[in-house]
Amino acid sequence: MTPLDHHVLLVGFMGSGKSSVACELARRSGTRYIDLDERIAAAAGSSIPEIFAEEGESGFRDREAAALAGLATDRPSVVACGGGILGREENRRMLASLGTVVYLEVSAEESVRRCGSGSARPMLAERSAKEVAELLALREPMYAQVADVRIDTTGRSVDAVVDLVEAALARAVGQPGHDTPSRDTKENE
Ligand code: S3P
């Protein structure tokens, strides 16, 4: 695969494999990999759980929105985004304008299984399995709204998911700044 000429942004619920898939896709294509949460933590000088503890979710979301906006001046990269980045409408608009958005789907049960105790993920901490499922259900239409490409990760290895992402990107009609059939469909529903 040749280096990408625009950003590819991976979105999806916690535990959907965004970081691993983005990292491998970047390696295969010789494109830079960016983990947005790592950028947020580096800019804050604190871990994600510390930011949540000290500034609350809204403080974290402000930092997340700023980090996302900062991508506009970055060279093309494969970007792993945090699972809640779509909560703000401005972020959904920004994602759509930045590049191709790949939605990695995972079930709530699989997310809980993959993430374990959730201690590194404040949004999973103290949530029952039912509450995790409710959070995913709340977010699912937003992931679908911005997705140019959707890949179901259930029962698939990172390599298998990256194979599918590569094939989908090769077919994708969506380019930065242009509406795609998937976005049109969702917006018209
Ligand atoms: C969050 C997901 C996390 C991180 C933060 C909030 C969320 O990223 O951004 O803990 O709201 O779903 P991952 O999806 O990479 O775990």
Side-chain angles (χ1 to χ4, degrees), residues 6-32:
H6 61 275
H7 289 318
V8 170
L9 304 120
L10 279 84
V11 302
F13 203 62
M14 293 166 276
S16 57
K18 300 175 298 271
S19 299
S20 314
V21 169
C23 202
E24 176 59 11
L25 179 65
R27 192 195 64 75
R28 287 193 200 181
S29 61
T31 307
R32 184 168 56 158

PDB file of all heavy atoms in Angstrom, residues 6-32:
ATOM      1  N   HIS A   6      -4.260  11.527   2.536  1.00  0.00           N
ATOM      2  CA  HIS A   6      -5.100  12.302   3.444  1.00  0.00           C
ATOM      3  C   HIS A   6      -5.250  11.506   4.735  1.00  0.00           C
ATOM      4  O   HIS A   6      -4.900  10.329   4.772  1.00  0.00           O
ATOM      5  CB  HIS A   6      -6.466  12.612   2.814  1.00  0.00           C
ATOM      6  CG  HIS A   6      -7.263  11.386   2.479  1.00  0.00           C
ATOM      7  ND1 HIS A   6      -7.102  10.703   1.294  1.00  0.00           N
ATOM      8  CD2 HIS A   6      -8.201  10.701   3.170  1.00  0.00           C
ATOM      9  CE1 HIS A   6      -7.927   9.670   1.269  1.00  0.00           C
ATOM     10  NE2 HIS A   6      -8.598   9.643   2.402  1.00  0.00           N
ATOM     11  N   HIS A   7      -5.777  12.136   5.764  1.00  0.00           N
ATOM     12  CA  HIS A   7      -5.926  11.419   7.043  1.00  0.00           C
ATOM     13  C   HIS A   7      -6.915  10.267   6.913  1.00  0.00           C
ATOM     14  O   HIS A   7      -7.940  10.390   6.224  1.00  0.00           O
ATOM     15  CB  HIS A   7      -6.489  12.353   8.120  1.00  0.00           C
ATOM     16  CG  HIS A   7      -5.549  13.416   8.600  1.00  0.00           C
ATOM     17  ND1 HIS A   7      -4.219  13.209   8.856  1.00  0.00           N
ATOM     18  CD2 HIS A   7      -5.780  14.724   8.902  1.00  0.00           C
ATOM     19  CE1 HIS A   7      -3.668  14.332   9.291  1.00  0.00           C
ATOM     20  NE2 HIS A   7      -4.595  15.266   9.314  1.00  0.00           N
ATOM     21  N   VAL A   8      -6.614   9.194   7.612  1.00  0.00           N
ATOM     22  CA  VAL A   8      -7.593   8.128   7.842  1.00  0.00           C
ATOM     23  C   VAL A   8      -7.828   8.107   9.348  1.00  0.00           C
ATOM     24  O   VAL A   8      -6.880   7.961  10.135  1.00  0.00           O
ATOM     25  CB  VAL A   8      -7.082   6.764   7.337  1.00  0.00           C
ATOM     26  CG1 VAL A   8      -8.008   5.646   7.796  1.00  0.00           C
ATOM     27  CG2 VAL A   8      -6.986   6.780   5.820  1.00  0.00           C
ATOM     28  N   LEU A   9      -9.086   8.311   9.749  1.00  0.00           N
ATOM     29  CA  LEU A   9      -9.413   8.457  11.168  1.00  0.00           C
ATOM     30  C   LEU A   9     -10.223   7.266  11.631  1.00  0.00           C
ATOM     31  O   LEU A   9     -11.292   6.978  11.075  1.00  0.00           O
ATOM     32  CB  LEU A   9     -10.200   9.753  11.369  1.00  0.00           C
ATOM     33  CG  LEU A   9      -9.439  10.974  10.831  1.00  0.00           C
ATOM     34  CD1 LEU A   9     -10.247  11.670   9.747  1.00  0.00           C
ATOM     35  CD2 LEU A   9      -9.088  11.934  11.940  1.00  0.00           C
ATOM     36  N   LEU A  10      -9.702   6.553  12.631  1.00  0.00           N
ATOM     37  CA  LEU A  10     -10.416   5.386  13.134  1.00  0.00           C
ATOM     38  C   LEU A  10     -11.263   5.763  14.334  1.00  0.00           C
ATOM     39  O   LEU A  10     -10.755   6.344  15.305  1.00  0.00           O
ATOM     40  CB  LEU A  10      -9.426   4.274  13.491  1.00  0.00           C
ATOM     41  CG  LEU A  10      -8.986   3.502  12.254  1.00  0.00           C
ATOM     42  CD1 LEU A  10      -7.852   4.205  11.560  1.00  0.00           C
ATOM     43  CD2 LEU A  10      -8.618   2.086  12.579  1.00  0.00           C
ATOM     44  N   VAL A  11     -12.542   5.454  14.234  1.00  0.00           N
ATOM     45  CA  VAL A  11     -13.462   5.716  15.344  1.00  0.00           C
ATOM     46  C   VAL A  11     -14.147   4.403  15.728  1.00  0.00           C
ATOM     47  O   VAL A  11     -14.131   3.435  14.964  1.00  0.00           O
ATOM     48  CB  VAL A  11     -14.522   6.789  14.977  1.00  0.00           C
ATOM     49  CG1 VAL A  11     -13.859   8.098  14.577  1.00  0.00           C
ATOM     50  CG2 VAL A  11     -15.451   6.296  13.875  1.00  0.00           C
ATOM     51  N   GLY A  12     -14.745   4.402  16.885  1.00  0.00           N
ATOM     52  CA  GLY A  12     -15.444   3.206  17.358  1.00  0.00           C
ATOM     53  C   GLY A  12     -15.400   3.156  18.865  1.00  0.00           C
ATOM     54  O   GLY A  12     -14.654   3.914  19.509  1.00  0.00           O
ATOM     55  N   PHE A  13     -16.176   2.269  19.411  1.00  0.00           N
ATOM     56  CA  PHE A  13     -16.306   2.174  20.860  1.00  0.00           C
ATOM     57  C   PHE A  13     -14.992   1.690  21.480  1.00  0.00           C
ATOM     58  O   PHE A  13     -14.151   1.090  20.786  1.00  0.00           O
ATOM     59  CB  PHE A  13     -17.446   1.212  21.200  1.00  0.00           C
ATOM     60  CG  PHE A  13     -18.036   1.419  22.574  1.00  0.00           C
ATOM     61  CD1 PHE A  13     -18.640   2.618  22.905  1.00  0.00           C
ATOM     62  CD2 PHE A  13     -17.989   0.409  23.526  1.00  0.00           C
ATOM     63  CE1 PHE A  13     -19.194   2.819  24.169  1.00  0.00           C
ATOM     64  CE2 PHE A  13     -18.546   0.595  24.790  1.00  0.00           C
ATOM     65  CZ  PHE A  13     -19.149   1.807  25.107  1.00  0.00           C
ATOM     66  N   MET A  14     -14.834   1.911  22.785  1.00  0.00           N
ATOM     67  CA  MET A  14     -13.659   1.412  23.504  1.00  0.00           C
ATOM     68  C   MET A  14     -13.507  -0.093  23.271  1.00  0.00           C
ATOM     69  O   MET A  14     -14.486  -0.827  23.321  1.00  0.00           O
ATOM     70  CB  MET A  14     -13.819   1.687  25.008  1.00  0.00           C
ATOM     71  CG  MET A  14     -13.787   3.169  25.356  1.00  0.00           C
ATOM     72  SD  MET A  14     -14.375   3.524  27.027  1.00  0.00           S
ATOM     73  CE  MET A  14     -16.151   3.591  26.783  1.00  0.00           C
ATOM     74  N   GLY A  15     -12.287  -0.501  23.007  1.00  0.00           N
ATOM     75  CA  GLY A  15     -12.042  -1.930  22.804  1.00  0.00           C
ATOM     76  C   GLY A  15     -12.307  -2.395  21.385  1.00  0.00           C
ATOM     77  O   GLY A  15     -12.210  -3.592  21.099  1.00  0.00           O
ATOM     78  N   SER A  16     -12.592  -1.474  20.485  1.00  0.00           N
ATOM     79  CA  SER A  16     -12.847  -1.904  19.097  1.00  0.00           C
ATOM     80  C   SER A  16     -11.539  -2.160  18.346  1.00  0.00           C
ATOM     81  O   SER A  16     -11.561  -2.657  17.223  1.00  0.00           O
ATOM     82  CB  SER A  16     -13.709  -0.874  18.352  1.00  0.00           C
ATOM     83  OG  SER A  16     -13.087   0.393  18.375  1.00  0.00           O
ATOM     84  N   GLY A  17     -10.399  -1.797  18.962  1.00  0.00           N
ATOM     85  CA  GLY A  17      -9.107  -2.093  18.340  1.00  0.00           C
ATOM     86  C   GLY A  17      -8.548  -0.952  17.511  1.00  0.00           C
ATOM     87  O   GLY A  17      -7.651  -1.156  16.698  1.00  0.00           O
ATOM     88  N   LYS A  18      -9.050   0.266  17.757  1.00  0.00           N
ATOM     89  CA  LYS A  18      -8.622   1.411  16.936  1.00  0.00           C
ATOM     90  C   LYS A  18      -7.107   1.614  16.935  1.00  0.00           C
ATOM     91  O   LYS A  18      -6.508   1.791  15.877  1.00  0.00           O
ATOM     92  CB  LYS A  18      -9.311   2.698  17.420  1.00  0.00           C
ATOM     93  CG  LYS A  18     -10.829   2.658  17.349  1.00  0.00           C
ATOM     94  CD  LYS A  18     -11.420   3.912  17.970  1.00  0.00           C
ATOM     95  CE  LYS A  18     -11.103   4.074  19.430  1.00  0.00           C
ATOM     96  NZ  LYS A  18     -11.999   3.472  20.398  1.00  0.00           N
ATOM     97  N   SER A  19      -6.504   1.584  18.134  1.00  0.00           N
ATOM     98  CA  SER A  19      -5.059   1.869  18.214  1.00  0.00           C
ATOM     99  C   SER A  19      -4.248   0.790  17.504  1.00  0.00           C
ATOM    100  O   SER A  19      -3.351   1.105  16.708  1.00  0.00           O
ATOM    101  CB  SER A  19      -4.620   1.977  19.682  1.00  0.00           C
ATOM    102  OG  SER A  19      -5.318   3.025  20.303  1.00  0.00           O
ATOM    103  N   SER A  20      -4.546  -0.484  17.779  1.00  0.00           N
ATOM    104  CA  SER A  20      -3.782  -1.573  17.151  1.00  0.00           C
ATOM    105  C   SER A  20      -3.958  -1.554  15.641  1.00  0.00           C
ATOM    106  O   SER A  20      -3.003  -1.732  14.881  1.00  0.00           O
ATOM    107  CB  SER A  20      -4.238  -2.936  17.678  1.00  0.00           C
ATOM    108  OG  SER A  20      -4.353  -2.919  19.053  1.00  0.00           O
ATOM    109  N   VAL A  21      -5.192  -1.335  15.201  1.00  0.00           N
ATOM    110  CA  VAL A  21      -5.471  -1.350  13.761  1.00  0.00           C
ATOM    111  C   VAL A  21      -4.815  -0.136  13.092  1.00  0.00           C
ATOM    112  O   VAL A  21      -4.189  -0.262  12.037  1.00  0.00           O
ATOM    113  CB  VAL A  21      -7.001  -1.378  13.509  1.00  0.00           C
ATOM    114  CG1 VAL A  21      -7.325  -1.115  12.044  1.00  0.00           C
ATOM    115  CG2 VAL A  21      -7.582  -2.719  13.969  1.00  0.00           C
ATOM    116  N   ALA A  22      -4.918   1.025  13.732  1.00  0.00           N
ATOM    117  CA  ALA A  22      -4.312   2.235  13.154  1.00  0.00           C
ATOM    118  C   ALA A  22      -2.803   2.081  13.053  1.00  0.00           C
ATOM    119  O   ALA A  22      -2.193   2.445  12.045  1.00  0.00           O
ATOM    120  CB  ALA A  22      -4.675   3.453  14.007  1.00  0.00           C
ATOM    121  N   CYS A  23      -2.209   1.531  14.097  1.00  0.00           N
ATOM    122  CA  CYS A  23      -0.762   1.351  14.129  1.00  0.00           C
ATOM    123  C   CYS A  23      -0.309   0.435  12.986  1.00  0.00           C
ATOM    124  O   CYS A  23       0.645   0.740  12.267  1.00  0.00           O
ATOM    125  CB  CYS A  23      -0.415   0.737  15.485  1.00  0.00           C
ATOM    126  SG  CYS A  23       1.253   0.992  15.980  1.00  0.00           S
ATOM    127  N   GLU A  24      -0.999  -0.673  12.800  1.00  0.00           N
ATOM    128  CA  GLU A  24      -0.629  -1.635  11.756  1.00  0.00           C
ATOM    129  C   GLU A  24      -0.905  -1.062  10.360  1.00  0.00           C
ATOM    130  O   GLU A  24      -0.117  -1.250   9.440  1.00  0.00           O
ATOM    131  CB  GLU A  24      -1.387  -2.960  11.984  1.00  0.00           C
ATOM    132  CG  GLU A  24      -1.187  -4.027  10.915  1.00  0.00           C
ATOM    133  CD  GLU A  24       0.269  -4.460  10.708  1.00  0.00           C
ATOM    134  OE1 GLU A  24       1.135  -4.107  11.517  1.00  0.00           O
ATOM    135  OE2 GLU A  24       0.531  -5.141   9.693  1.00  0.00           O
ATOM    136  N   LEU A  25      -2.020  -0.354  10.223  1.00  0.00           N
ATOM    137  CA  LEU A  25      -2.333   0.261   8.919  1.00  0.00           C
ATOM    138  C   LEU A  25      -1.263   1.294   8.557  1.00  0.00           C
ATOM    139  O   LEU A  25      -0.816   1.366   7.407  1.00  0.00           O
ATOM    140  CB  LEU A  25      -3.716   0.914   8.980  1.00  0.00           C
ATOM    141  CG  LEU A  25      -4.186   1.610   7.706  1.00  0.00           C
ATOM    142  CD1 LEU A  25      -4.375   0.617   6.565  1.00  0.00           C
ATOM    143  CD2 LEU A  25      -5.505   2.359   7.964  1.00  0.00           C
ATOM    144  N   ALA A  26      -0.852   2.071   9.546  1.00  0.00           N
ATOM    145  CA  ALA A  26       0.195   3.077   9.318  1.00  0.00           C
ATOM    146  C   ALA A  26       1.503   2.394   8.923  1.00  0.00           C
ATOM    147  O   ALA A  26       2.191   2.832   7.995  1.00  0.00           O
ATOM    148  CB  ALA A  26       0.388   3.920  10.576  1.00  0.00           C
ATOM    149  N   ARG A  27       1.836   1.306   9.616  1.00  0.00           N
ATOM    150  CA  ARG A  27       3.087   0.595   9.312  1.00  0.00           C
ATOM    151  C   ARG A  27       3.063   0.064   7.877  1.00  0.00           C
ATOM    152  O   ARG A  27       3.988   0.263   7.106  1.00  0.00           O
ATOM    153  CB  ARG A  27       3.264  -0.564  10.303  1.00  0.00           C
ATOM    154  CG  ARG A  27       4.637  -1.201  10.287  1.00  0.00           C
ATOM    155  CD  ARG A  27       4.658  -2.540  11.005  1.00  0.00           C
ATOM    156  NE  ARG A  27       3.823  -3.564  10.378  1.00  0.00           N
ATOM    157  CZ  ARG A  27       4.114  -4.216   9.266  1.00  0.00           C
ATOM    158  NH1 ARG A  27       5.249  -3.970   8.637  1.00  0.00           N
ATOM    159  NH2 ARG A  27       3.291  -5.118   8.769  1.00  0.00           N
ATOM    160  N   ARG A  28       1.950  -0.570   7.524  1.00  0.00           N
ATOM    161  CA  ARG A  28       1.858  -1.168   6.178  1.00  0.00           C
ATOM    162  C   ARG A  28       1.924  -0.116   5.083  1.00  0.00           C
ATOM    163  O   ARG A  28       2.441  -0.361   4.004  1.00  0.00           O
ATOM    164  CB  ARG A  28       0.534  -1.930   6.023  1.00  0.00           C
ATOM    165  CG  ARG A  28       0.483  -3.234   6.774  1.00  0.00           C
ATOM    166  CD  ARG A  28      -0.724  -4.007   6.276  1.00  0.00           C
ATOM    167  NE  ARG A  28      -1.146  -5.040   7.211  1.00  0.00           N
ATOM    168  CZ  ARG A  28      -2.168  -5.853   6.986  1.00  0.00           C
ATOM    169  NH1 ARG A  28      -2.867  -5.737   5.879  1.00  0.00           N
ATOM    170  NH2 ARG A  28      -2.502  -6.770   7.878  1.00  0.00           N
ATOM    171  N   SER A  29       1.344   1.052   5.339  1.00  0.00           N
ATOM    172  CA  SER A  29       1.259   2.069   4.284  1.00  0.00           C
ATOM    173  C   SER A  29       2.390   3.090   4.358  1.00  0.00           C
ATOM    174  O   SER A  29       2.449   4.006   3.532  1.00  0.00           O
ATOM    175  CB  SER A  29      -0.099   2.788   4.351  1.00  0.00           C
ATOM    176  OG  SER A  29      -0.243   3.433   5.604  1.00  0.00           O
ATOM    177  N   GLY A  30       3.270   2.954   5.355  1.00  0.00           N
ATOM    178  CA  GLY A  30       4.371   3.908   5.488  1.00  0.00           C
ATOM    179  C   GLY A  30       3.870   5.304   5.798  1.00  0.00           C
ATOM    180  O   GLY A  30       4.426   6.297   5.355  1.00  0.00           O
ATOM    181  N   THR A  31       2.772   5.366   6.550  1.00  0.00           N
ATOM    182  CA  THR A  31       2.159   6.653   6.902  1.00  0.00           C
ATOM    183  C   THR A  31       2.326   6.856   8.408  1.00  0.00           C
ATOM    184  O   THR A  31       2.457   5.892   9.154  1.00  0.00           O
ATOM    185  CB  THR A  31       0.646   6.615   6.556  1.00  0.00           C
ATOM    186  OG1 THR A  31       0.505   6.219   5.195  1.00  0.00           O
ATOM    187  CG2 THR A  31      -0.013   7.965   6.744  1.00  0.00           C
ATOM    188  N   ARG A  32       2.340   8.091   8.840  1.00  0.00           N
ATOM    189  CA  ARG A  32       2.509   8.347  10.272  1.00  0.00           C
ATOM    190  C   ARG A  32       1.279   7.888  11.064  1.00  0.00           C
ATOM    191  O   ARG A  32       0.147   8.019  10.598  1.00  0.00           O
ATOM    192  CB  ARG A  32       2.723   9.837  10.522  1.00  0.00           C
ATOM    193  CG  ARG A  32       3.003  10.119  12.001  1.00  0.00           C
ATOM    194  CD  ARG A  32       3.498  11.506  12.230  1.00  0.00           C
ATOM    195  NE  ARG A  32       2.554  12.474  11.705  1.00  0.00           N
ATOM    196  CZ  ARG A  32       2.499  13.736  12.128  1.00  0.00           C
ATOM    197  NH1 ARG A  32       3.319  14.150  13.066  1.00  0.00           N
ATOM    198  NH2 ARG A  32       1.652  14.585  11.606  1.00  0.00           N
TER     199      ARG A  32
END
